[in-house]
């Protein structure tokens, strides 16, 4: 399971990193050392995430421990999307409060600073966690399958949303149309523009999928923009081109 989680990370983050290079060439210019660090932390996190996932898979198939049901008609069909929303809401609640806790100065220095060392974050930073943070994130969905019934299709949807949003919220640009993230729906769901402000200001915007807890607790700081990061990327790319030109000139 650790290998599966690791391969899933490499495929999805790699795909969105490639899309970034096509959509915004030079955005990750000069960030190669940071990206290597992000990949290293993320693969270590994948190993941690795989342990409870493996226990769940074994317990479901061999012991019947979980509430995962294989018969699609064991529960009403309307329950399938409800179960997905229940899982996302529970995961979002867990993430908000643990994430907010990790921004306490002592905990931040010990654990969460590893994630915020990515300045700016890239598509490879989605799982770039210290082991303490990785462990807190690895437990919630495996625990839920022992409590809340869900079909494998619903579980696959939850894991897909978790993976895609984790990557796209860090990749440094907004893939969704402005009508979505600036409109009424965007007032309640989290996309890259919302999470970008968290990485810029550190305080506020602690949610994962939804802005509900941030709004209820007064920690919603609104939407950010990517102008500063894109300007810095253009400057890095310009310096890289200048350095390359000087090297070619010196070699003549």
């Amino acid at each position: 399971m650790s290998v599966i989680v690791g391969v899933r990370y490499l495929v999805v983050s790699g795909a969105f990193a490639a899309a970034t290079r096509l959509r915004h060439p030079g955005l990750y210019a000069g960030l190669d050392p940071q990206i290597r660090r992000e990949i290293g932390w993320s693969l270590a996190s994948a190993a941690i995430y795989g342990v409870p996932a493996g226990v769940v898979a074994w317990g479901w198939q061999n012991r019947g421990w979980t509430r995962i049901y294989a018969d699609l008609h064991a529960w009403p069909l309307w329950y399938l999307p409800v179960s997905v929303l229940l899982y996302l809401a529970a995961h979002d609640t867990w993430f908000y409060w643990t994430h907010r806790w990790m921004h306490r100065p002592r905990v931040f220095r010990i654990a969460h600073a590893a994630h915020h060392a990515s300045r700016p974050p890239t598509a490879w930073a989605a799982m770039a966690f210290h082991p303490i943070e990785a462990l807190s994130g690895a437990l919630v969905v495996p625990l839920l399958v022992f409590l809340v019934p869900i079909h494998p299709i619903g579980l696959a949807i939850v894991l897909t949303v978790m993976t895609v949003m984790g990557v796209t919220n860090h990749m440094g640009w907004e893939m969704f149309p402005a009508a979505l993230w600036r409109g009424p729906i965007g007032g309640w769901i989290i996309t890259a523009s919302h999470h970008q402000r968290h990485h810029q200001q550190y305080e506020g915007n602690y949610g994962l999928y939804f802005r509900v807890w941030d709004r209820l607790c007064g920690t919603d700081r609104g939407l950010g923009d990517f102008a500063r990061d894109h300007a810095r990327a253009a400057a890095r790319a310009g310096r890289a081109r200048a350095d390359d030109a000087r090297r070619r000139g010196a070699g003549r």
Side-chain angles (χ1 to χ4, degrees), residues 169-240:
N169 286 352
H170 289 91
M171 66 181 178
W173 56 283
E174 188 63 75
M175 64 174 283
F176 298 105
L180 175 67
W181 55 273
R182 288 182 185 268
I185 296 177
W188 294 101
I189 65 170
I190 292 172
T191 64
S193 300
H194 188 267
H195 195 63
Q196 182 74 3
R197 177 150 288 184
H198 172 77
H199 276 271
Q200 290 174 342
Q201 297 183 352
Y202 282 41
E203 294 185 357
N205 290 14
Y206 296 115
L208 179 60
Y209 305 123
F210 310 113
R211 295 171 66 172
V212 176
W213 281 111
D214 274 311
R215 286 180 169 236
L216 288 175
C217 298
T219 55
D220 195 299
R221 302 294 182 255
L223 302 179
D225 64 68
F226 303 101
R228 184 180 69 178
D229 290 339
H230 287 204
R232 288 177 175 175
R236 288 196 306 270
R239 288 193 297 269

Side-chain angles (χ1 to χ4, degrees), residues 56 87 91 137-146 155 158-159 162:
V56 166
Y87 271 65
H91 191 193
L139 294 176
V140 57
V141 173
L143 287 175
L144 284 172
V145 301
F146 291 97
L155 189 57
V158 170
L159 294 176
M162 179 177 71

